[in-house]
Amino acid sequence: QQLQLAKAKVQEQTPVFSIIQGATVPLKPSSMPRSFLVIIYMFVGVLADAAWILYLRDIVKSKITKRKAPYVLLIILFGVLAIYYHNTEDSSSKRTIRIVCALILIFFFGFRGYICDDWIAYYPAFQKCSPEYINFNPFEYNIKWAFEPGFTILMCLCKSIVDDFQFFSFVCTVINTFLLFRFFNKRIDNLPLGIILYLCFGGYIMNTNLMRNSIAILIFINALEYIEKRKPLQYFSLCLLALSFH
């Protein structure tokens, strides 16, 4: 009888259920997030398309060329950085990835050498470039010099520092990279992914074969924010600066 009373007392004092761990709001998804899957599929699609256009199509046609392999490897490299950038939450790691992306672009396009055909026109122009060709009058055309004043000033300045066309190409690449990153940093989070899309949708041509055009275009897209801020003076000033290049 005492045993039964003791069991009843224990049962009376013991709760029906006990809370082992309190309910908490989850901070991370228990499975792979859908945004990450979208990035992976987008990267695989862009990579497959770039590989086909730049490399695999030539294999199918039995016209394999090794000159296009570096461009495919560049896309793969930025793809790896894009996946790592998406998975990390450390701000210092993201900042490091941004710096690495900038250095990769500057190294890859800044030391590209004589590729495509834009240099055919700019190389002899660089050799004979002189401050006397700087002309801010849009109604006066110099038959000896067909380039805009902003581009001419940049070319003369680079030539006065280092009389080498490769140095001029390097400076143009640095300017393009700065303007591109300034535009991306204010509009997208995953910078490597943005660079992949930029390269696959005309960025290769802009950085190799459109020296004047690329600077003018990138200056213009950086001016668009001043329309949103309702600052017409800054907007039109940058548009005039872009116009002085192309």
Side-chain angles (χ1 to χ4, degrees), residues 21-121:
Q21 183 178 1
T24 57
V25 178
L27 301 177
K28 296 182 179 180
S30 58
S31 60
M32 185 178 296
R34 285 178 291 181
S35 60
F36 182 64
L37 290 175
V38 171
I39 290 178
I40 291 180
Y41 289 135
M42 183 181 296
F43 167 66
V44 172
V46 171
L47 178 62
D49 187 50
W52 168 255
I53 293 175
L54 299 175
Y55 197 71
L56 296 179
R57 183 168 57 184
D58 289 337
I59 296 180
V60 175
K61 295 180 179 180
S62 300
K63 294 180 180 180
I64 302 176
T65 172
K66 296 181 180 180
R67 293 181 298 175
K68 296 181 180 180
Y71 301 98
V72 178
L73 295 177
L74 183 66
I75 295 294
I76 295 175
L77 178 59
F78 280 119
V80 173
L81 292 175
I83 294 175
Y84 180 74
Y85 190 97
H86 178 79
N87 286 333
T88 184
E89 296 181 357
D90 185 22
S91 59
S92 62
S93 298
K94 290 187 175 182
R95 183 169 57 253
T96 302
I97 293 176
R98 290 173 181 268
I99 295 174
V100 170
C101 289
L103 294 177
I104 292 174
L105 282 180
I106 292 174
F107 177 81
F108 190 88
F109 292 106
F111 298 97
R112 62 183 181 270
Y114 299 96
I115 61 173
C116 294
D117 54 9
D118 220 21
W119 67 271
I120 298 176

Side-chain angles (χ1 to χ4, degrees), residues 16 154 177 225 239:
V16 178
L154 177 62
T177 304
E225 65 176 282
C239 286

